[in-house]
Amino acid sequence: MTNSNRLSGGQIDRTKPLNFQFDGKSFQGYQGDTLASALLANGVRLMGRSFKYHRPRGPMTAGSEEPNAIVELRTGAAQEPNTRATTAELFDGLVAKSQNRWPSLAFDAMAINDRLSNFLTAGFYYKTFMWPAAFWEKVYEPIIRKAAGLGTLSHDPDPDCYDKGFLHCDILVIGAGPAGLIAARTAARAGAQVILADEDFRMGGRLNAETFGIGDLGAPDWAAQQVAELASLPNVRLMTRTTVMGAYDHGIYGLVERITDHLPQSPAVKPRQILWRVYSKRAILAAGATERPIVFENNDRPGIMLAGSLRTYANRWAVTPAHQVAVFTNNDDGHRTAIDLITRGVTATVIDTRMDAKSLGDYETLAGGVVSDTAGRLGLTSVQVTLANGAQRSLSVGALGVSGGWNPNVHLTCHQRGRPAWDDRIHAFAPAGTLPAGMSVAGAANGVFGTHDALQSGHAAAIEAAASLGFAPQSIDIPDTRDAPVNLTPFWHVAGAKRAWVDQQNDVTAKDIKLAHQENFASVEHLKRYTTLGMATDQGKTSNIAGLAIMAEVAGKSIPEVGTTMFRPPYTPVALGALAGRSRDQDFRPTRKTPSHRWASEQGAVFVEVGLWLRAQYFPKPGETHWRQSVDREVLQTRKSVGICDVTTLGKIDVQGRDAAEFLNKIYANGFAKLPVGKTRYGLMLREDGIAMDDGTAARFADDHFVVTTTTANAVSVYRHMEFVRQCLCPDMDVHLISTTEAWAQYSVAGPNARKLLQKIVDPEFDISNDAFPYMACGDITVCGGLRARLFRISFSGELAYEIAVPTRYGDALIRRLLDAGQEFDAVVYGTEALGVMRIEKGHAAGNELNGTTTALNLGMGRMVSTKKDSIGATLSTRDGLNDPNALKLVGLRPVDRTKPVPAGSHIMTKGDPVDAAHDQGYVTSACYSPNLGHHIALAFVKSGDTRLGEVVRLVSPLTGVDHDVEIVSAHFIDPEGDRLRA
Amino acid sequence: MIIIHPLLGPRDSSEFIYKGDAALINRPDWQASDALDQFIDYGYLRDNPAGLHRELWYHEQGDRSWLVVTRDTTTHEITQVELARDVARRQGRST
Amino acid sequence: MAYSGFRILREALRGHRGWGPAWRDAAPKDHYDYVIIGGGGHGLATAYYLASVYKQSRIAVVEKGWIGGGNVGRNTTIIRSNYLLEGNEPFYEFSLKLWEGLEQDLNYNAMVSQRGILNLVHTDAQRDAFIRRGNAMILNGADAEFMSTEQIVAKYPFLNVNNARFPIKGGLAQHRGGTVRHDAVAWGYARAADRLGVDIIQNCQVTGLRIENGTCLGVDTTRGFIGATKVASCVAGSSSRIMQMAGMRLPIESHVLQAFVSEGLKPILPGVITFGAGHFYCSQSDKGGLVFGGDIDGYNSYAQRGNLPVIEDVCEGGMAIFPNLGRARLLRSWGGIMDMSMDGSPIIDRTHIDGLYFNGGWCYGGFKATPASGYAYAHLLATDTPHHTATAYRLDRFRTGHMIDEKGMGNQPNLH
């Protein structure tokens, strides 16, 4: 039955046959077909099953508004669930599967729901499944979930790549139908930069589906001619297969361009889709209109579709679902479908709700008739007509086209919460005054339905838009067109006792709407949410108005009194991959590497993510099988001799200007005004709310020059904060800031032999002896024979230590030189783990302690907050709640049984107290094994901890099974007097 | 959104970091007799208007200017963009 | 009229003629003991518990539009009690317990589904913080489990563990967390409150608070003045607008949070999962849609819609942990307005005006709090003392320095 339903003509290339499979069966179509048109050509009307009742369904439309014919396209990792057969371009080798059915499309066991529909009314699930309580998750819900859902998503990573791009234009024209084409041409001729985007793979919109003429040409040919002219203009970008998904603030539109979806395989170099962010000065929405159905009993059988779509299939794709068809209409446009079909040799009868309807051609018209029922389990076989006089008549037809009129595609006008208004002239909602800024609406999208009028409307919109941007647009001739007015008399719903579908995908029937009204779910939003009307993958493009009309009917109101619903972005569903673009896998976020990264890799370093940075965590040596072996070695050797660590990731901010010291006084809680040149000071920064924000050092290189360091994590936010203080709070201080984090490579050299090692590379004219360069000294030096460097004598480890900084490009060379120079001392390199161990041993607070809720008081630095000057956070830090005598204090912990760990995240209980939240005494912030002490240690915040040194408390972590005793000790496990760092 | 930077012209708002009400420029005098009360109001209470809102944005991916943007919180329409430093000076923070 | 499976059978056989309105459309009376402003989840729950637990009567809920049209009608449906701080955890655990008995209590199936929630962990510091949190949960009587990466992969086999920018180092699970059919919460409370005599007055916008001599006497509305002994604001998202009528400035900014749903898919996600190195959380509804969200847009807004950068950021987060999501499609996105408070925690308190009460500042965690918020607010309204799980939610906590800052972000609402 190959192409048994193919007619003559159409915009398909019969020289390019394409083979494809649907549900395992092979078929043939042509280049230019969609999956739906090709299946219909092959006599296949049944393409899917509905969501709830699993009713057999075929295509209802020929476009992106399709509710029924949705399939799983492609296979394996490339499988795309819920793909509209009506928009999927046919390609050679296409494989598609029907979905939401078992075991097969023709026999679906879940269709039992259809038999039970009387029990499964709108919202039935809210009223039952409550007993016994435990059964919901265990019994009812799994069954419901299994039955629900539509297509199946693969578990495999999406094999395609996606891209993002940015475009700028004067005028974005959305939709390439008659209004859009002429708008684009008018605007382009005026000299504007124009983007014309259309979701279809062939521009022309409705013109591709019509047989009337425009000027001397047939409608599709006229469209092609316009497109050709536009393509020749350098200031026009034509974007086919491009959906404008959303209208965002300030003229920004989201566009999704499908690059390879119509190809058998994505060429490796091409993304599957591109998300474009278009910055437009003006936009003209020319998105056309969508036909709406009339609701009647059993109106959902395969073969029943919108009349305009039936015509589209015939004219554009030379396809008819059947050779005997009927059209059910309330307007003249339905007759046009009958005429076009008859012209192509199909037999047609028209049922017209209007009593005075007349045939406009050689076919029978049943004026005043309505379709009251239909038959055909897997496809339409006949329709039952109730004639004007009440008599019944059955028509044997395989297809029925339904036309209840047309609704302007107002969707994008609603994306910024604009509401359309009811227009009595067209009996539909049309865009009202609440448009996104810069948007105007033309053609059928604005309720202008005649083609000639649409052309004029598009032309006028472009003239206005171009003129508003300062161009001098010229009028162009509007060609004559020969389409007729539609003469619609509203008719929404054929009343009856059986089920009549409003939302076909979600199986919302007219009865459901009546029940919702009966139960007071009468507001439009309640109706939608209670019945799920309009919540399916088509967002109710064909169903919302019928639902409103029926609600109006039962409520005794007009449609606008019932209300309208909001259309939300995206216009049609968008692949998540396109929205994510290239930000996936390793490229999810940028990776920052320090200047010593390559060197560390050569050393076999294990790296760890620290924000966006990769830092060396530890450096395993041959024979070390556990990370602890490496870390213990690095710590012990550093404390014994000397270790080197890359600390480049610390934030570095250069502060210069006459008022630099005053400025630091403002941002640090402790004083900096009196810091002598050549000295470094530890600084604690508070947020304005008095909570510790960050800590670090500030080194004074000159009266008017400081170098501030921040933690790695807060480098960006501290700099931002400092700029806020500078620009917003102290606008006339003479101070300038620049972040130099990336400008300097910085290494810590720590351990008893640190000075000896450095002396080997620091140029001899710089005396770094303890007397000349004591603890907390800083200075500009040169190393390795003239390379400028900065030296700070500061210590995080508690050892005699320095940090040395050189311009970033010398970072790799310096670490190699340091290691060479350190060979005689058996110098080690250490990573972030050993760094952490040594700072815990020394009792230095870090990120785990500066967690955004701790005060200077908690950290044991309460006295650092100067009350003699104004600094950020000082005033609010005096609030009572932050000065509780029982406040948490930073202490050390060590296990009573020295073999036990003291894991971070554990809580602390007073011995003998119940273990519960009410008796919580604090928590462990940081923990490690101390190779110097030979047991685990930890830092913790404990209530009044500073007065409880020596107390044995209970350490509990019910989450991880910890419960043993620990002793509260000073946080300074190593060298509490600080002799080493001053050595 | 697009913020028309007074020095750099139109810029996508994703280049900026938002802070909040531009009243944050008016940091109280720490030596006022009711300084704590003033700081509590400054730190925690907001007009939060539905309508025109003067607010601070920081051009983090750009020139690191702090800007005062006047924007309608019901429509997102931006009617004025100023350098925060100019605003701060105008509001007497030069001392 | 009680709902039950039996009743559905009976009605099915009688053409469903017997179902009455789920709630009455009440006309406003002259005076009530309690007027609750806001017919969202919290307001309706407050009315229900006032009537049911605290045996109060003459209660009205006034709603400017249709009930359930605020954030209970647009959220990502998650319930959980995985909080860290003492001011929060007992309250949210109380809420979770109320969720567990909600359907039997209300005689309405809101589809409370304890599918579990899992917070992924990507760094050692994050693991330490989550262990501390999990312990706090257990110490407060909630459930928590720290899952290994292997255990997580067994549940989510398509998780990106081999090629992830930020490796997964386990996760904190709360198995009693899950999802609820959000609209049904509003409807269930409305129906149950209505059955106890509460007047639910839709399309009734409050235009002013009538305050004389420091006492609130009632509300002016688009349907006239309604007198009240106690007026209770419960309009998160619009709190500043209502309380401004009483001359109050709040520690709150209004921000837009977008949420997203995909097309329906056959079951793939068993529970709720959150990404710890980006902004993405996701669950799958009973209908099959992936319901997901991320960060707020970050600027003050009452516009109930967001912008592209956040949409992209959220989908990037999704693809980062689930690289198979690329071919699922975003069906709908929407924006809701959040009361973002200065410490990320809510407020349930009296005001300095007699007879005027305030409930708000829920940030984007209000949905899960619905039952406890209603219960605690009802307790406060009926007894003038805070409920024992909500003693920390005071308006003056910023003055006294008793902030409840779970994230440690300080007084900047858009960071919570």
Side-chain angles (χ1 to χ4, degrees), chain A residues 78 82 100 118 126 130 137 141 148 151 158 160 249 518 520 526 529 569 574 576 589-590 612 687 879 881 905 907 959, chain C residues 12 16 19 23 67 73 104 109 113-114 132 135 165 181 183 264 266 286 305 307 313 316 323 327-328 330 333 398 400 408:
Chain A
N82 308 329
N100 198 32
N118 201 19
Y126 300 127
M130 287 176 274
E137 276 113 342
E141 193 182 33
D158 188 335
D160 280 313
D249 279 316
Q518 183 182 328
N520 200 21
H526 285 150
R529 289 149 188 267
V574 175
L576 265 55
R589 290 292 178 258
L612 296 179
R687 299 189 308 228
R879 284 176 291 172
H907 288 237
L959 188 73
Chain C
H16 296 282
W19 300 115
W23 65 87
I67 61 165
Q104 288 68 33
N109 184 5
S113 177
Q114 293 180 285
R132 177 187 167 207
N135 283 323
R165 172 71 179 82
R181 171 76 184 94
D183 290 318
K266 287 294 176 196
D286 283 345
R305 60 189 172 78
N307 275 298
D313 179 68
E316 288 167 9
R327 300 179 107 81
L330 170 68
S333 65
F398 305 102
T400 61

Coordinates of all heavy atoms in Angstrom, one line a residue, chain A residues 78 82 100 118 126 130 137 141 148 151 158 160 249 518 520 526 529 569 574 576 589-590 612 687 879 881 905 907 959, chain C residues 12 16 19 23 67 73 104 109 113-114 132 135 165 181 183 264 266 286 305 307 313 316 323 327-328 330 333 398 400 408:
Chain A
A78 N 20.2 8.5 20.9 CA 19.6 9.6 20.2 C 18.1 9.7 20.2 O 17.5 10.5 19.6 CB 20.1 9.6 18.8
N82 N 8.4 12.0 22.5 CA 7.4 13.1 22.3 C 7.6 14.0 21.1 O 7.3 15.1 21.1 CB 7.3 13.9 23.6 CG 7.1 13.1 24.8 OD1 6.5 12.0 24.8 ND2 7.7 13.6 25.9
N100 N 3.8 5.2 24.7 CA 2.7 5.2 25.6 C 1.7 4.1 25.3 O 0.5 4.3 25.4 CB 2.0 6.5 25.8 CG 1.2 6.6 27.1 OD1 1.6 6.0 28.1 ND2 0.1 7.4 27.0
N118 N -15.5 6.2 33.2 CA -16.6 6.8 34.1 C -16.1 7.0 35.5 O -16.6 7.8 36.3 CB -17.8 5.9 34.0 CG -19.0 6.7 34.4 OD1 -19.0 7.9 34.4 ND2 -20.1 6.0 34.8
Y126 N -7.9 12.9 43.5 CA -7.8 13.7 44.7 C -8.8 13.1 45.7 O -8.8 13.5 46.9 CB -8.2 15.1 44.4 CG -7.3 15.8 43.4 CD1 -7.8 16.4 42.3 CD2 -5.9 15.8 43.7 CE1 -6.9 17.1 41.4 CE2 -5.1 16.4 42.8 CZ -5.6 17.1 41.7 OH -4.7 17.7 40.8
M130 N -6.6 7.0 49.5 CA -6.2 7.6 50.8 C -6.0 6.5 51.8 O -5.5 6.7 52.9 CB -7.1 8.7 51.2 CG -6.9 10.0 50.4 SD -8.0 11.3 50.9 CE -9.5 10.9 49.9
E137 N 2.3 5.3 48.3 CA 3.6 5.1 47.7 C 3.8 3.7 47.2 O 4.5 3.5 46.3 CB 4.7 5.6 48.7 CG 4.9 7.0 48.7 CD 4.6 7.6 50.0 OE1 3.8 7.0 50.8 OE2 5.0 8.8 50.3
E141 N 0.6 4.7 43.7 CA 1.4 5.6 42.9 C 2.2 4.9 41.9 O 2.3 5.4 40.7 CB 2.2 6.5 43.9 CG 2.8 7.7 43.1 CD 3.7 8.5 44.0 OE1 4.3 8.0 44.9 OE2 3.7 9.8 43.8
A148 N 1.4 6.6 33.5 CA 1.5 7.9 33.0 C 2.8 8.1 32.2 O 3.5 7.2 31.9 CB 1.4 8.9 34.2
G151 N 6.7 9.5 26.2 CA 7.8 8.8 25.6 C 8.8 8.4 26.7 O 8.8 8.8 27.8
D158 N 23.3 12.2 25.9 CA 23.0 12.8 24.6 C 24.2 12.8 23.7 O 25.2 13.4 24.1 CB 22.4 14.2 24.8 CG 21.8 14.7 23.5 OD1 22.2 14.3 22.5 OD2 20.9 15.6 23.6
D160 N 24.7 14.2 20.9 CA 25.0 15.4 20.1 C 25.5 16.5 21.0 O 25.4 16.5 22.2 CB 23.6 15.9 19.5 CG 23.3 15.1 18.3 OD1 24.2 14.9 17.4 OD2 22.1 14.6 18.2
D249 N 13.0 40.3 28.5 CA 13.0 41.7 28.7 C 13.9 42.5 27.7 O 14.9 42.0 27.2 CB 13.6 42.0 30.1 CG 12.5 41.8 31.1 OD1 11.4 42.3 30.9 OD2 12.8 41.2 32.2
Q518 N -19.1 22.2 38.4 CA -20.0 21.7 39.4 C -19.3 21.8 40.8 O -19.9 22.0 41.8 CB -20.4 20.3 39.1 CG -21.4 19.7 40.0 CD -21.7 18.2 39.4 OE1 -21.6 18.0 38.2 NE2 -21.9 17.3 40.3
N520 N -16.9 23.8 41.6 CA -16.5 25.2 41.9 C -15.0 25.4 41.5 O -14.4 26.3 42.0 CB -16.6 25.6 43.4 CG -16.6 27.1 43.5 OD1 -16.9 27.8 42.6 ND2 -16.3 27.6 44.7
H526 N -8.2 27.4 37.9 CA -8.7 26.2 38.6 C -9.1 25.1 37.6 O -8.8 23.9 37.8 CB -9.8 26.5 39.5 CG -9.4 27.2 40.8 ND1 -10.2 28.1 41.4 CD2 -8.2 27.2 41.5 CE1 -9.5 28.6 42.5 NE2 -8.3 28.1 42.5
R529 N -6.0 23.6 36.1 CA -5.3 22.7 37.0 C -6.0 21.5 37.5 O -5.5 20.4 37.7 CB -4.8 23.6 38.2 CG -3.8 24.6 37.9 CD -3.9 25.8 38.7 NE -3.0 26.9 38.3 CZ -1.7 27.0 38.7 NH1 -1.3 26.3 39.7 NH2 -1.0 28.0 38.2
P569 N 6.4 30.7 28.1 CA 7.5 30.2 27.3 C 7.8 28.8 27.7 O 7.6 28.5 28.9 CB 8.7 31.2 27.7 CG 8.2 32.1 28.7 CD 6.8 31.8 29.1
V574 N 11.4 22.9 24.1 CA 12.8 23.0 23.6 C 13.7 22.0 24.3 O 13.6 21.8 25.5 CB 13.3 24.5 24.0 CG1 14.8 24.6 23.7 CG2 12.5 25.5 23.3
L576 N 16.4 20.3 26.3 CA 17.3 20.9 27.4 C 18.7 21.0 27.0 O 19.4 21.9 27.4 CB 17.2 19.9 28.6 CG 16.2 20.3 29.7 CD1 14.8 20.5 29.1 CD2 16.2 19.3 30.8
R589 N 31.8 24.0 33.6 CA 32.3 25.3 34.1 C 33.8 25.4 33.7 O 34.4 24.4 33.5 CB 32.1 25.5 35.6 CG 30.7 25.6 36.1 CD 30.1 27.0 35.6 NE 28.7 27.1 36.0 CZ 27.6 26.9 35.2 NH1 27.8 26.6 34.0 NH2 26.4 27.1 35.7
P590 N 34.3 26.6 33.6 CA 35.7 26.7 33.2 C 36.6 26.1 34.3 O 36.2 26.0 35.4 CB 36.0 28.3 33.2 CG 34.6 28.9 33.2 CD 33.7 27.9 33.7
L612 N 36.6 27.0 41.1 CA 36.9 26.6 39.7 C 38.3 26.2 39.5 O 38.7 25.7 38.4 CB 36.6 27.9 38.7 CG 35.2 28.3 38.7 CD1 35.1 29.6 37.8 CD2 34.2 27.3 38.2
R687 N 31.4 41.2 57.4 CA 30.3 41.7 56.6 C 29.7 42.8 57.4 O 29.9 43.0 58.6 CB 29.2 40.6 56.3 CG 29.8 39.4 55.6 CD 28.6 38.5 55.2 NE 27.7 38.1 56.3 CZ 27.3 36.9 56.5 NH1 27.7 35.9 55.8 NH2 26.5 36.6 57.5
R879 N 25.5 43.6 68.5 CA 24.2 43.2 68.9 C 24.3 42.1 70.0 O 25.2 41.2 69.9 CB 23.4 42.8 67.7 CG 22.9 43.9 66.9 CD 22.2 43.5 65.6 NE 23.1 42.8 64.7 CZ 22.8 42.2 63.6 NH1 21.5 42.1 63.3 NH2 23.7 41.7 62.8
G881 N 22.7 39.4 70.5 CA 22.6 38.0 70.0 C 24.0 37.5 69.5 O 24.2 36.3 69.4
G905 N 31.8 17.4 61.2 CA 30.4 17.3 61.0 C 29.8 16.6 62.3 O 28.5 16.5 62.4
H907 N 28.7 16.2 66.2 CA 28.2 17.1 67.2 C 28.8 16.8 68.5 O 29.3 15.7 68.8 CB 26.7 17.1 67.2 CG 26.1 17.7 66.0 ND1 25.2 18.8 66.1 CD2 26.2 17.5 64.7 CE1 24.8 19.2 64.8 NE2 25.4 18.4 64.0
L959 N 24.8 10.0 62.1 CA 24.7 9.8 60.6 C 25.8 8.8 60.2 O 25.5 8.0 59.3 CB 24.9 11.1 59.9 CG 24.7 11.1 58.4 CD1 23.2 11.0 58.1 CD2 25.2 12.4 57.8
Chain C
A12 N -20.0 7.4 39.9 CA -19.8 7.1 38.5 C -21.1 6.5 38.0 O -21.5 6.7 36.8 CB -18.7 6.1 38.4
H16 N -22.2 11.2 38.2 CA -21.4 12.2 38.9 C -22.2 13.5 39.2 O -21.7 14.5 39.3 CB -20.1 12.6 38.1 CG -19.2 11.5 37.9 ND1 -18.3 11.1 38.9 CD2 -19.0 10.7 36.9 CE1 -17.6 10.1 38.5 NE2 -18.0 9.8 37.2
W19 N -21.6 15.3 43.2 CA -20.4 16.0 43.7 C -20.8 17.5 43.9 O -21.3 18.1 42.9 CB -19.2 16.0 42.7 CG -18.7 14.6 42.5 CD1 -18.7 13.9 41.3 CD2 -18.1 13.7 43.4 NE1 -18.1 12.7 41.4 CE2 -17.7 12.5 42.7 CE3 -17.8 13.8 44.8 CZ2 -17.1 11.4 43.3 CZ3 -17.1 12.7 45.3 CH2 -16.8 11.5 44.6
W23 N -15.5 23.9 47.7 CA -15.7 24.9 48.7 C -16.7 25.9 48.2 O -16.9 26.0 47.0 CB -14.4 25.6 49.0 CG -13.8 26.4 47.9 CD1 -14.1 27.7 47.6 CD2 -12.9 26.0 46.9 NE1 -13.4 28.1 46.4 CE2 -12.7 27.0 46.0 CE3 -12.3 24.7 46.6 CZ2 -11.9 26.9 44.8 CZ3 -11.5 24.6 45.5 CH2 -11.3 25.7 44.6
I67 N -8.1 31.2 44.7 CA -7.3 30.5 45.8 C -6.2 29.6 45.2 O -6.4 29.0 44.1 CB -8.1 29.7 46.8 CG1 -8.9 28.6 46.1 CG2 -9.0 30.7 47.6 CD1 -9.4 27.6 47.1
G73 N 0.6 27.5 43.9 CA 0.2 27.1 42.5 C 1.3 27.1 41.6 O 1.2 26.7 40.4
Q104 N -5.3 12.0 55.3 CA -6.4 11.4 56.2 C -7.0 12.6 57.0 O -8.2 12.6 57.2 CB -5.8 10.4 57.1 CG -5.4 9.1 56.4 CD -4.3 9.2 55.4 OE1 -3.3 10.0 55.6 NE2 -4.3 8.4 54.4
N109 N -6.8 13.7 48.7 CA -5.5 13.1 48.3 C -4.6 14.1 47.6 O -4.8 14.4 46.4 CB -5.8 11.9 47.4 CG -4.5 11.2 47.1 OD1 -3.4 11.5 47.6 ND2 -4.6 10.2 46.2
S113 N 4.0 12.1 48.4 CA 4.8 11.0 47.9 C 6.2 11.1 48.5 O 7.0 11.9 48.1 CB 4.8 11.1 46.4 OG 5.6 10.0 45.9
Q114 N 6.5 10.2 49.5 CA 7.8 10.3 50.1 C 8.8 9.5 49.4 O 9.3 8.5 49.8 CB 7.7 9.9 51.6 CG 6.8 10.9 52.4 CD 6.6 10.5 53.8 OE1 5.9 9.6 54.1 NE2 7.3 11.2 54.7
R132 N 27.3 17.4 59.2 CA 26.9 18.2 60.3 C 25.3 18.4 60.3 O 24.6 18.2 61.2 CB 27.6 19.5 60.3 CG 27.1 20.5 61.4 CD 27.6 21.9 61.3 NE 26.9 22.8 62.2 CZ 26.8 24.1 62.0 NH1 27.4 24.6 60.9 NH2 26.1 24.8 62.8
N135 N 23.4 15.1 60.9 CA 23.4 14.8 62.4 C 22.4 15.7 63.1 O 21.7 15.3 64.0 CB 24.8 15.0 63.0 CG 25.7 13.9 62.7 OD1 25.3 12.7 62.7 ND2 27.0 14.2 62.4
R165 N 32.6 17.6 35.7 CA 33.5 18.7 36.0 C 33.7 18.7 37.6 O 34.8 18.9 38.0 CB 32.9 20.0 35.5 CG 33.6 21.3 36.0 CD 34.9 21.4 35.3 NE 35.5 22.7 35.8 CZ 36.2 22.8 36.9 NH1 36.4 21.7 37.7 NH2 36.7 23.9 37.3
R181 N 1.4 16.9 45.3 CA 0.7 17.6 44.2 C 0.2 19.0 44.7 O -0.7 19.1 45.5 CB -0.5 16.8 43.8 CG -1.5 17.4 42.9 CD -1.0 17.4 41.5 NE -1.9 18.1 40.6 CZ -1.9 19.4 40.3 NH1 -0.8 20.1 40.7 NH2 -2.8 20.0 39.6
D183 N -1.2 22.0 43.8 CA -2.5 22.6 43.8 C -3.5 22.0 44.7 O -4.3 22.6 45.4 CB -3.1 22.5 42.4 CG -2.4 23.4 41.4 OD1 -2.0 24.6 41.7 OD2 -2.1 22.9 40.2
G264 N 6.0 15.2 29.4 CA 5.9 13.9 30.1 C 6.8 12.8 29.6 O 7.0 12.7 28.4
K266 N 8.2 8.6 30.6 CA 8.0 7.4 31.4 C 9.0 7.5 32.6 O 10.0 8.2 32.5 CB 8.3 6.2 30.6 CG 7.3 5.8 29.5 CD 5.9 5.5 30.2 CE 4.8 5.2 29.2 NZ 3.5 5.2 29.8
D286 N 4.0 12.6 39.0 CA 3.2 11.4 38.7 C 2.8 11.4 37.3 O 2.6 10.3 36.7 CB 2.0 11.3 39.7 CG 2.4 10.8 41.1 OD1 3.6 10.4 41.2 OD2 1.6 10.9 42.0
R305 N 7.9 36.7 36.1 CA 8.5 36.0 34.9 C 10.0 36.3 35.0 O 10.5 37.2 35.7 CB 8.0 36.6 33.6 CG 8.2 38.1 33.5 CD 7.5 38.7 32.4 NE 7.6 40.2 32.4 CZ 8.7 40.9 32.0 NH1 9.7 40.2 31.6 NH2 8.7 42.2 32.1
N307 N 14.2 35.6 33.1 CA 14.9 35.8 31.9 C 15.8 34.6 31.5 O 16.0 33.7 32.3 CB 15.7 37.1 32.0 CG 14.9 38.3 31.7 OD1 14.4 38.5 30.5 ND2 14.7 39.2 32.6
D313 N 21.3 28.6 32.9 CA 22.1 28.2 34.0 C 21.5 26.9 34.6 O 22.2 26.0 34.9 CB 22.1 29.3 35.1 CG 22.9 28.9 36.3 OD1 24.2 28.7 36.1 OD2 22.4 28.7 37.4
E316 N 22.0 24.0 32.3 CA 23.4 23.6 32.3 C 23.6 22.7 33.6 O 24.3 21.7 33.5 CB 24.3 24.8 32.4 CG 24.4 25.6 31.1 CD 25.0 27.0 31.2 OE1 25.5 27.3 32.3 OE2 24.9 27.7 30.3
P323 N 23.5 13.8 31.8 CA 23.8 14.1 30.4 C 22.8 13.5 29.5 O 22.8 13.8 28.3 CB 25.2 13.6 30.2 CG 25.5 12.7 31.3 CD 24.6 13.0 32.4
R327 N 17.9 15.4 25.4 CA 16.8 15.2 24.5 C 15.4 15.2 25.1 O 14.4 15.0 24.4 CB 17.0 13.9 23.7 CG 18.4 14.0 22.9 CD 18.6 12.7 22.1 NE 18.5 12.9 20.7 CZ 19.4 13.4 19.9 NH1 20.5 13.9 20.4 NH2 19.2 13.5 18.6
A328 N 15.4 15.5 26.4 CA 14.1 15.8 27.0 C 13.8 17.3 26.7 O 14.7 18.1 26.5 CB 14.2 15.6 28.5
L330 N 12.0 21.0 27.5 CA 11.4 22.0 28.4 C 10.0 22.3 27.8 O 9.9 22.8 26.7 CB 12.2 23.2 28.5 CG 11.5 24.4 29.2 CD1 11.4 24.1 30.7 CD2 12.4 25.7 29.1
S333 N 7.9 27.2 31.4 CA 8.6 27.8 32.5 C 7.7 28.9 33.0 O 6.9 29.5 32.3 CB 10.0 28.4 32.0 OG 9.8 29.4 31.1
F398 N 16.5 40.5 63.8 CA 17.6 41.2 63.2 C 18.1 42.3 64.1 O 19.3 42.6 64.2 CB 17.2 41.7 61.8 CG 16.6 40.7 60.9 CD1 15.2 40.5 60.8 CD2 17.4 39.7 60.3 CE1 14.7 39.5 60.0 CE2 16.9 38.7 59.5 CZ 15.6 38.6 59.4
T400 N 17.9 42.0 67.4 CA 18.6 41.4 68.5 C 19.8 40.6 68.1 O 20.6 40.2 69.0 CB 17.7 40.5 69.3 OG1 17.2 39.5 68.4 CG2 16.5 41.3 69.8
G408 N 24.5 31.0 55.6 CA 25.6 31.9 56.0 C 25.9 32.9 55.0 O 27.0 33.3 54.8

